[in-house]
Amino acid sequence: MFEEKKAESSSVQVGDAVDCVVEQIMQYGVFVRVLATKQRGMVHISELSANFVKKVEDVLFVGQEIKASVIKIDEKGRIDLSIKKLEEKAPVLQQPALTKEDKDSFEKRLSNFLKNSESKIADLNIKLNNPKGSKRRSSGVKQK
């Protein structure tokens, strides 16, 4: 019954995209105010971006309006949000389809790379295994 009251009092649900304003920046994330409900939520530093974030201040500032996805509402009514989840849902530009010539070109380049690599490794192995090739020459100064 307690959980039902909390769920009813919160008009946001898990999966919703909500507009927020950054209120407080901490080392571990930001506290935001959800504009629709005036509730407070948190975005953990790991949920700020798909890229690595060293400092929260590098990504957000106090007073900034953001859009975030609700990822969790706990039994106490605390809202966890994610900006990263919305980035993942954003439409990805489709790459143009590769033509047969492009595929052949790639395969040729890959084949040449493998041949060159094998050749270089074979040369290196010969030099390492050859006893004459591994001796260093002196710098011209005779030693007694």
Side-chain angles (χ1 to χ4, degrees):
M1 187 164 152
F2 176 75
E3 291 177 18
E4 292 174 2
K5 288 183 181 179
K6 283 291 181 187
E8 291 173 0
S9 67
S10 174
S11 64
V12 295
Q13 296 177 355
V14 174
D16 289 351
V18 293
D19 292 315
C20 310
V21 175
V22 177
E23 288 188 337
Q24 185 180 10
I25 295 178
M26 306 297 284
Q27 282 182 312
Y28 51 86
V30 294
F31 287 99
V32 297
R33 182 70 57 187
V34 178
L35 295 176
T37 63
K38 304 298 181 200
Q39 290 177 293
R40 193 168 165 130
M42 188 189 127
V43 182
H44 190 267
I45 191 169
S46 66
E47 295 294 333
L48 292 177
S49 174
N51 300 319
F52 175 74
V53 177
K54 186 173 184 177
K55 290 172 50 178
V56 178
E57 296 87 4
D58 294 341
V59 180
L60 299 173
F61 58 89
V62 175
Q64 182 177 358
E65 289 191 22
I66 61 169
K67 194 166 195 84
S69 177
V70 178
I71 57 174
K72 179 182 172 187
I73 300 174
D74 69 6
E75 63 279 349
K76 294 182 182 178
R78 295 180 292 202
I79 302 171
D80 289 343
L81 302 155
S82 173
I83 299 170
K84 179 169 70 171
K85 296 284 187 210
L86 286 182
E87 290 175 359
E88 292 171 358
K89 291 180 182 177
V92 177
L93 296 176
Q94 256 188 336
Q95 295 291 332
L98 292 176
T99 63
K100 181 164 176 34
E101 292 82 24
D102 292 338
K103 289 179 185 177
D104 290 343
S105 173
F106 172 75
E107 289 175 1
K108 284 181 183 178
R109 287 185 287 161
L110 181 60
S111 175
N112 287 336
F113 171 78
L114 291 173
K115 287 177 187 175
N116 289 337
S117 296
E118 289 171 358
S119 173
K120 288 178 182 181
I121 290 172
D123 289 344
L124 182 61
N125 285 333
I126 290 170
K127 288 179 182 178
L128 289 175
N129 293 332
N130 186 357
K132 291 183 181 178
S134 63
K135 292 182 182 176
R136 293 184 179 202
R137 295 185 181 200
S138 63
S139 61
V141 178
K142 291 186 178 183
Q143 296 178 351
K144 292 184 179 181

